[in-house]
Amino acid sequence: MRKPFVAGNWKMNLDLAGARSLVAGIVEGLGGSSKIDVAICPPSIYLFPMAKAIVESTVAMGAQNCWSAPSGAFTGEVSAAMVKETGCRYVILGHSERRNTIGPRDSNGNIAGESNDMIAAKVRAVFDNEMIPIVCVGETLAQRDANETESVLTSQLAGSLASVKAEEASKLVVAYEPVWAIGTGRTATSAQAQAAHAHIRGQLVERFGADVANAIRIQYGGSVKPDNARELMSCPDVDGALVGGASLKPADFVGIINETIQAKDL
Ligand code: 13P
């Protein structure tokens, strides 16, 4: 039985006072419940203060990114060990806002985003620092329209998870985030979500075997709100949500958590 996991990806939002009041609202709204796993993923500059704010609560913390190398001349980056020191349990990796699917282009027309190889190196660094990577995959609208959804997911998973060792794989979290559903208000139908999640799980079975694959949690992300969460979370292969916009409002985020609890009959 997989324990559902709902995480809030705050992206580059909120000032420090707003972050503190959001966390206070979430902690109060949850009232100590631990029926499912819950995490907040603040901007890295807020990780230390947010760690203090969640002490003695059931809320865990994740970072939105980290660098793969342990130290060195990487101006502006933070290492997995630095992230670990703040108290993070999770690190989001390979979000589409960082991958090469929608990054800005340089003067040669190259997309300045993250490759599967870079993500795999970061996954290694996160596991080596005893944290859990939340590895994001998802197709663009053009790829979906061209019937490439499954092949895109297959290659993103193969590349991004290349560094995962068999003995740690069950701890992994995968987030299916169709790029066309992120921040657009356009959610995948539950049938689309279940089909993509089943495909992802099938790939995990091929790579790690059924026992491990059945223990890996696969979150859905893309315009999740309290009023669509129950239907999405009812899908058998959907094990929680990676929430963007709605994670910035305590009532909405706690609402999604409660809908997940209901959907999974916990
Ligand atoms: P929204 O919930 O705002 O669509 O964002 C989803 C997302 O990108 C979470 O990582």
Side-chain angles (χ1 to χ4, degrees):
M1 176 68 187
R2 296 181 293 270
K3 190 173 188 185
F5 176 28
V6 173
N9 175 8
W10 295 0
K11 308 191 179 182
M12 198 177 71
N13 291 298
L14 302 168
D15 58 17
L16 188 51
R20 286 190 205 281
S21 88
L22 173 56
V23 172
I26 293 167
V27 170
E28 192 192 331
L30 289 180
S33 165
S34 58
K35 286 186 173 164
I36 68 170
D37 286 341
V38 172
I40 53 165
C41 303
S44 56
I45 195 82
Y46 296 157
L47 289 172
F48 272 118
M50 292 307 103
K52 275 194 181 165
I54 57 172
V55 165
E56 287 175 26
S57 81
T58 50
V59 178
M61 192 168 71
Q64 298 175 16
N65 183 34
C66 70
W67 194 245
S68 52
S71 63
F74 301 101
T75 301
E77 296 291 347
V78 293
S79 71
M82 292 169 184
V83 164
K84 170 79 178 176
E85 271 196 296
T86 68
C88 280
R89 184 179 302 166
Y90 305 96
V91 184
I92 298 171
L93 294 174
H95 193 282
S96 62
E97 288 150 19
R98 303 197 58 86
R99 274 181 182 272
N100 52 13
T101 44
I102 55 167
R105 286 168 193 267
D106 67 16
S107 57
N108 296 316
N110 295 320
I111 298 173
E114 293 192 4
S115 65
N116 286 318
D117 288 352
M118 285 174 72
I119 296 160
K122 293 180 176 195
V123 167
R124 188 70 258 134
V126 167
F127 270 130
D128 285 346
N129 283 278
E130 288 163 355
M131 296 180 291
I132 296 171
I134 301 174
V135 178
C136 303
V137 294
E139 81 288 359
T140 63
L141 187 56
Q143 289 166 333
R144 173 163 283 269
D145 288 346
N147 273 324
E148 291 168 4
T149 299
E150 292 194 351
S151 62
V152 167
L153 296 177
T154 299
S155 75
Q156 287 179 339
L157 289 167
S160 311
L161 303 183
S163 60
V164 178
K165 298 175 187 166
E167 64 269 23
E168 67 200 4
S170 63
K171 292 187 213 132
L172 178 71
V173 177
V174 175
Y176 170 60
E177 298 209 317
V179 177
W180 47 272
I182 295 175
T184 58
R186 207 181 140 183
T187 324
T189 64
S190 54
Q192 286 172 323
Q194 172 55 29
H197 282 234
H199 177 74
I200 291 168
R201 192 155 332 264
Q203 294 300 304
L204 297 171
V205 169
E206 280 190 23
R207 173 79 199 282
F208 301 113
D211 284 355
V212 169
N214 286 330
I216 295 175
R217 294 178 293 184
I218 308 174
Q219 297 174 316
Y220 170 81
S223 297
V224 178
K225 307 271 181 302
D227 61 6
N228 60 25
R230 178 125 24 148
E231 201 184 333
L232 286 161
M233 298 305 126
S234 297
C235 299
D237 283 297
V238 175
D239 307 313
L242 185 54
V243 186
S247 74
L248 300 172
K249 293 184 192 141
D252 285 358
F253 190 56
V254 173
I256 290 166
I257 292 162
N258 287 334
E259 292 294 337
T260 304
I261 291 169
Q262 296 288 324
K264 298 297 187 192
D265 214 6
L266 295 170

